[in-house]
């Protein structure tokens, strides 16, 4: 019975997850161009090239900044929004749906809409700045501003997800503990720090793991808003550029993807082995 029920899913996972993963590792040992009939084995040559390339440090820096900013921003704003929505007031259901709705929107659509908003000539942000006599920054031409731009959009799209998860965690906080703290004269900030945050630690841990994985694999918004990757080339976007962006280095692209996979496994293991020890499960 177990085999009959599990076999279809196992076959799908093997065919569409593990087989491509193993194939990608094999392709990373080749000097190969997409569409070419032949490939030259280079062993670990692509890996040596990646770790000795002067561009790798900049790509790692951009990836780290993007990941820390998007994960921290979406989780912090999500927690604040969840605290604001954890009330029984009129219209709170609509507010919760409105906050969560950007998360389910297409990343391509979100990127296109925000690209128009950041347009330095006709965009909404430029119009608002012009009303107060300020010029619009060149978001698309300045690499540092391009990174800030995609971070803002990514946080806006994903903070609703964090808010909903945190809201579920807040609604599971025992009311008797909050009432006891209030009777003892604890201030709201002390109650939040000493009672609510420890109870929310499993929720925070779950969000941290999933948000880091999602941010390291963020692609669609970066591709739409900065197609050339000027200042926004993360590891996953570099893998795309190497294979499809004109470099025609599919083997090297597979190397970058394999390195990214290794980082995902490493970060997940660190979080599970180190951070989970500080989680307070009830």
């Amino acid at each position: 019975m177990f085999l009959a029920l599990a076999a279809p899913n196992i076959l799908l996972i093997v065919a569409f997850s593990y087989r491509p993963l193993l194939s990608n590792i094999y392709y990373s040992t080749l000097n190969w161009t997409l569409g070419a009939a032949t490939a030259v084995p280079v062993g670990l040559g692509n890996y040596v090239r990646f770790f000795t390339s002067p561009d790798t440090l900049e790509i790692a820096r951009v990836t780290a900044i993007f990941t820390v900013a998007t994960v921290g921003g979406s989780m912090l704003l999500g927690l604040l929004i969840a605290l604001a929505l954890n009330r029984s007031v009129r219209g709170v259901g609509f507010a919760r749906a409105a906050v969560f709705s950007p998360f389910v929107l297409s990343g391509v659509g979100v990127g296109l809409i925000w690209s128009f908003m950041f347009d330095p000539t006709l965009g909404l942000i430029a119009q608002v700045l012009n009303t107060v006599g300020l010029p619009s920054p060149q978001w698309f031409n300045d690499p540092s501003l391009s990174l800030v731009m995609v971070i803002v959009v990514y946080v806006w799209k994903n903070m609703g997800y964090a808010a909903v998860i945190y809201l579920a965690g807040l609604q599971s906080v025992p009311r008797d503990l909050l009432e006891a703290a209030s009777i003892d004269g604890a201030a709201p900030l002390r109650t939040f720090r000493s009672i609510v945050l420890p109870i929310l630690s499993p929720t925070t841990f779950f969000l941290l793991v999933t948000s880091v994985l999602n941010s390291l694999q963020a692609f669609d918004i970066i591709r739409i808003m900065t197609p050339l990757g000027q200042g926004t080339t993360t590891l996953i976007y570099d893998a795309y550029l190497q294979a499809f962006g004109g470099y025609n280095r599919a083997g090297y692209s597979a190397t970058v993807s394999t390195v990214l996979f290794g980082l995902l496994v490493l970060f997940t293991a660190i979080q599970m082995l180190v951070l989970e020890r500080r989680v307070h499960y009830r």
Side-chain angles (χ1 to χ4, degrees), residues 205 208-209 212 266-276:
F205 177 71
L208 182 62
V209 173
V212 169
L266 177 62
F267 287 154
T268 304
I270 292 175
Q271 291 169 335
M272 296 294 292
L273 296 176
V274 178
L275 297 181
E276 191 177 17

Side-chain angles (χ1 to χ4, degrees), residues 17-67:
S17 294
Y18 295 113
R19 180 180 175 275
L21 172 63
L22 296 177
S23 298
N24 187 79
I25 296 175
Y26 168 69
Y27 294 147
S28 69
T29 64
L30 303 176
N31 182 8
W32 177 54
T33 301
L34 284 175
T38 60
V40 179
V42 293
L44 298 178
N46 286 329
Y47 292 93
V48 174
R49 183 176 184 177
F50 174 80
F51 287 107
T52 58
S53 172
D55 297 329
T56 299
L57 185 60
E58 175 63 17
I59 293 172
R61 184 188 72 86
V62 172
T63 303
I65 293 175
F66 179 82
T67 302

